[in-house]
Amino acid sequence: MADERNQTQEDILLDIQDLHVKYNTSDAVCYAVNGLNIQVKRGEVFGLVGETGAGKTTTALSILRLLPQRIGEIPQGKILFEGQDVVQMSEDQMRELRGSHISMIFQDPMTSLNPVLTVGDQIAEAIETHHQSMSKEEVQAKVDHVLKLVGIPPARKYEYPHQFSGGMKQRVVIAMALVCEPRLLIADEPTTALDVTVQNQVLDMMSNLKEELNTSMILITHDLGIVCQMCDHVAIMYAGKVIEQGTVYDIFDQSKPHHPYTIGLFGSLPSLQSDSKRLKPVMGLMPDPTDLPPGCEFHPRCGSCTETCKLKAPGVFQDGETHMIRCHLFSK
Amino acid sequence: MKNRTLALILALAMMAGMLAGCGNSSNDATGGGDSIIVGISDDATAMDPLSINDTNTMSILSNIYEPLVRVNNKNEIIPGLAEKWSVSDDGLEYTFTIRKGVKFHNGEDVTLEDVKWSIEAQVASSYTGPYISCVDHVEIVDDSNIKIVLSYPYAPFLTLCGTYTYVMKESFYGEGGNMAQQPIGCGPYEFVSWAANDKIVLKAYPDYFGGAAKITNLTFKIISNQTSAAISLEAGDIDMYLNVAETDVATLKSNSNIVVDEKPSSAFYYLGLNTEDEILSNEKVRQAIAKAIDRDSMVVGVLDGYAQATRSFIPEGLPGYKADFDPLPYHVDDAKALLAEAGYPNGLDLVITVPESRSAHAQMVQADLKKIGINLTINMRETGAFWDDLENGEYQIMMMGWSYVVMDNDVGYYSLYQSKEVVSGNYPRLNDARVDELLQKGRESSDPAERDAIYGEMEEIVMTSGAYIPLYWRYSIIAYNSKIQNVTNSPCGFYFVYDYSWAA
Amino acid sequence: MHKFILKRILMMIPVLLGISVIIYTIISLTPGNPGRLILGERASAEAVEAMNESLGYYDPLPVKYFNYMKNLLRGDLGTSWRSGVSVIESIGERFPTTLLLATMDIVLTAVMSIPLGVLVAVKKESLLDNIMTVVALVFTAMPSFWLGMLMMLVFALSLNLLPATGSESFAHFILPALTMSLLSVAQIMRMTRSSMLEVIRQDYIRTARAKGVSEQKIIWRHAVRNALLPVITTMGNNFGWTLGGSVITETVFGMSGIGTLLLTAVRSKDVPLVMGCVLFMSFTFSVVTLLVDISYGIIDPRIKAEYGGRKG
């Protein structure tokens, strides 16, 4: 029993416990993440799904502690990466972590690359930052290698970002993120800005690279097809909380109970067989994060709303070992 | 609020810095030796005496070129290139005995032909010609004498010879010569270099006939901003400044290492009233205006007191000068009465035309005339346009400055009063037969008592007419290192550095 | 790129031609006759007329302009009416002073204002930011002649460190250049600050942070180069202007540059000299803006690509 438990602890790469994030702007305080709990295991792909404003990107930025300076704040919670609390780390420790152990791919490849530096320089910079003893030749060899990995001829490293197409740019961004072989890759909607055909190429490449480098991945996306295709675990976020979480099979299994928001999101009952389906818009709007409703945050938009929902925050309903739902419908 | 406090603190800090600057003035002037740097406010126009006529340039050139005679700072004629001279009884022939063995800076001899050619050239030049138009011709008498024959007797001629008889050589103007940029003369200083609007460098001519100058290196440095020049003088960048601003006098005076010399110059300022104007042709109107002008207030208000109010164009010491001369005394009620007599009991509208630089003066005049019911409009003109207006008679009242090039009544204002000189001085178009007659007599007479009477009478006529309303004599303010000796504030703006030396 | 430069150089021709027409017309139509201004108030009417005649003052405007341009095309800018000195020579004599002054000004401005602008952008809304804003505003609000005098009083008179006036040595240029740059430091610093704040918000800065790049490298390697474009435009324009001479600074510090040359030329209605100065100033200004445009390409490869694109 003790051995098994240790084994599980070892397996968990990232453990976010009761994470709260708020943005202190001059007008109001915005509660972006409100008690988030997720665990990412080694080698797995963890999908983070939700509408815009659900707190997905905030969560990702919190892991790297890249929240906007002076505005973003983590008042409560832990982010344990390999057992160490990222929230408590010094800025120097964080810099060591970023790019080498945890990397991030941002949403828009068009704007993620510095227009005035060559592509090769930008990739090399990631290596130089974390391997200062490496010679110039070694760095360049590594740049060439990673470019090959993402399917770009190394000769193009002397070119500037504007000379690349959107898909190629995203490959560069991925190369940059993977060049130090991080243990965790956070991909924030990596394909949203790309053409559909290019999307699949990039995703395939990411899957292969992940396998090759044994990297865990947090995949933030809107696209249920991608979730279905890539993810092992899925968490559905609403107003800064995980409202349903489970393996990809738990979430996509229509025979299982689901949160009303999940159902709304999927439009019909979700199915593993269905082809890529975008999230269906749910009636109503995401609540104002500066003025969250009392009780269950989803109640103003919920078809099954009761009086309890308006007053009391729902507890966790555990449906089996892996599937969790946060809704009053199931907690009697 | 926070920002404002900060701004205040900073401003105070700067003021403190400035005050510290004023109080603690150090001085390490080039201080003695054989060099002197003279600050001047305007660059020379050219180095060739035949193509200049502004006082500033002439003053610089007086160090390079030698005239037949020089005028010293007591207004006396002393020998120059001519050792001695004589005048015929009819005042028409001036004979000069030229020094022998004098050489130009380039080593060539000064010959009588050179003297003759030079004087003829200066008469012919449209720059200098107007001042010595009395010269009829020049003759070489023998191997040491030269005779200048005038077409009419002209009393100020010798004085003018101090400025308009520089001696050059004709060949200097020929092929390969560049007198405008690289002058050659036979005066106490030879030319070294001229960086336009920056500095003019001269060095003592070792073979000057009067002996080499005590100051070996003479630099004229052009600093047009007067306050900058004052600071430079205090900081020791320059040793002398010839155009000190009124506002800098107090600061400079508080510095014991610096001498400030201020006195009325030969430049006078006046209001000119167009006698051919429909309204101003009435003498009573002009007199009323003259009686309404409060000169003393103007001197204090516009010039900080650095000027001397005057009722006449004759400075003390010249023929015709009367200490208490005041034919149209300041009196507002009398002025009003005169205006009523002239047919304007309810006042009238007039226009004053001035160049931009004199707007403050014009406003004072405007205020004065308002008191007698004249509504004066100020018409500000660019300098060139201003002169066009004056020449064309397209003005009612104007303000103008004039100066004595040399201290002589005739040179001072012949062209102001002479009825034929409407485009070169007599802008009010004064046309008085008696004045013309007196002008002629004055320029031909060399008897001091006679001239005293002539110019006294003339001044009475002119100043009673109200065509000219004298305002003030401008001050000439110079400042220099107290160790420089023999500096004199020249009313006409001529500075002859040969006289100067450093105290041991 | 070469075609672009060539095209820009060709474009200068109509610009300079236009300027020459405008300036020649304006200066010719202003009242005041040059003969009188040159010969002084006592010269006779005949002498003034003869002088004007010899200067071609009485010719009709188109004839005068045509003659001027004919000589100009032969490379002859004429001689000053007042001093008789060749206009090219006059300009050539003064340009080194103006060039050195303008260069020192721009270098000092860049050295002071860009690091400061970056610093206050990084320390946005800190005490330092506020202090620098106020200091900058104070300097901007100062009239240049007053600041010049102040510098002279402090550094030349009180501390006796530097010469007050003149342009003989390098030391003479320090105070005027410092005065000029202090006046523009505020502008450039504020511009750098806002441009930096804009750039720091960009995604690629976040990307660099996510790579673990140090804050210093992020600012100097990633942000500043991108933030400099608008700053360089403004500084380039300022440089173009100061190459045309800065009348006030030159006057205050008793320096002999293009600014005072033009000023005296305008005052004495010295047409060839005014024309020469203005055309020279327009020319240098055009050259400087061209250089600024070329420097864009060096800083931002996207713009270089754009020039290249125009080839076709």
Side-chain angles (χ1 to χ4, degrees), chain C residues 249-298:
Chain C
T249 313
E250 283 175 18
T251 311
V252 168
F253 289 96
M255 306 185 89
S256 162
I258 300 285
T260 42
L261 181 69
L262 177 62
L263 186 73
T264 40
V266 169
R267 279 196 183 146
S268 54
K269 208 172 159 53
D270 194 336
V271 175
L273 198 51
V274 172
M275 286 298 291
C277 286
V278 172
L279 287 178
F280 179 76
M281 284 161 67
S282 319
F283 176 73
T284 50
F285 194 83
S286 308
V287 169
V288 168
T289 37
L290 176 63
L291 290 178
V292 168
D293 284 359
I294 293 171
S295 77
Y296 280 2
I298 294 165

Side-chain angles (χ1 to χ4, degrees), chain B residues 211-435:
Chain B
K214 296 178 202 80
I215 308 281
T216 311
N217 300 301
L218 166 61
T219 304
F220 291 96
K221 189 160 162 178
I222 297 106
I223 307 174
S224 55
N225 184 294
Q226 294 167 301
T227 303
S228 302
I231 295 172
S232 291
L233 180 61
E234 282 200 82
D237 289 356
I238 56 174
D239 303 302
M240 192 170 174
Y241 189 57
L242 304 181
N243 192 13
V244 177
E246 291 85 358
T247 44
D248 295 323
V249 170
T251 318
L252 289 176
K253 273 188 175 167
S254 70
N255 188 329
S256 59
N257 297 318
I258 287 168
V259 176
V260 181
D261 187 347
E262 29 169 0
K263 69 175 187 194
S265 71
S266 75
F268 53 89
Y269 287 79
Y270 61 88
L271 296 178
L273 277 55
N274 188 346
T275 56
E276 288 176 5
D277 180 76
E278 204 183 316
I279 300 168
L280 295 172
S281 58
N282 185 333
E283 192 181 62
K284 288 207 168 75
V285 178
R286 299 201 300 264
Q287 288 171 336
I289 292 170
K291 290 176 81 64
I293 302 297
D294 183 1
R295 298 158 174 85
D296 297 317
S297 297
M298 182 184 282
V299 164
V300 174
V302 182
L303 298 138
D304 268 341
Y306 289 99
Q308 191 184 54
T310 184
R311 271 80 180 161
S312 163
F313 293 162
I314 304 178
E316 195 172 348
L318 285 199
Y321 175 77
K322 293 190 199 92
D324 53 355
F325 180 78
D326 193 4
L328 297 170
Y330 175 59
H331 200 287
V332 176
D333 289 336
D334 285 0
K336 270 191 205 159
L338 267 170
L339 209 56
E341 252 180 75
Y344 300 99
N346 304 318
L348 69 155
D349 293 342
L350 288 172
V351 176
I352 185 166
T353 303
V354 288
E356 299 114 316
S357 56
R358 296 187 194 128
S359 71
H361 296 88
Q363 284 168 28
M364 296 289 281
V365 174
Q366 193 180 38
D368 284 341
L369 294 191
K370 192 157 194 73
K371 288 181 196 144
I372 61 166
I374 293 177
N375 192 6
L376 192 68
T377 308
I378 299 171
N379 178 21
M380 215 104 75
R381 297 289 268 163
E382 187 262 330
T383 312
F386 175 70
W387 279 358
D388 281 356
D389 288 350
L390 300 196
E391 284 180 29
N392 300 333
E394 284 161 4
Y395 75 95
Q396 289 183 307
I397 303 175
M398 58 88 164
M399 189 187 159
M400 181 90 185
W402 202 254
S403 68
Y404 285 77
V405 182
V406 299
M407 280 316 210
D408 183 280
N409 300 61
D410 184 79
V411 181
Y413 48 72
Y414 178 87
S415 63
L416 287 189
Y417 300 165
Q418 224 288 337
S419 59
K420 291 191 187 70
E421 298 277 353
V422 286
V423 295
S424 43
N426 187 358
Y427 303 121
R429 285 138 173 86
L430 184 74
N431 192 349
D432 187 300
R434 177 65 184 155
V435 169

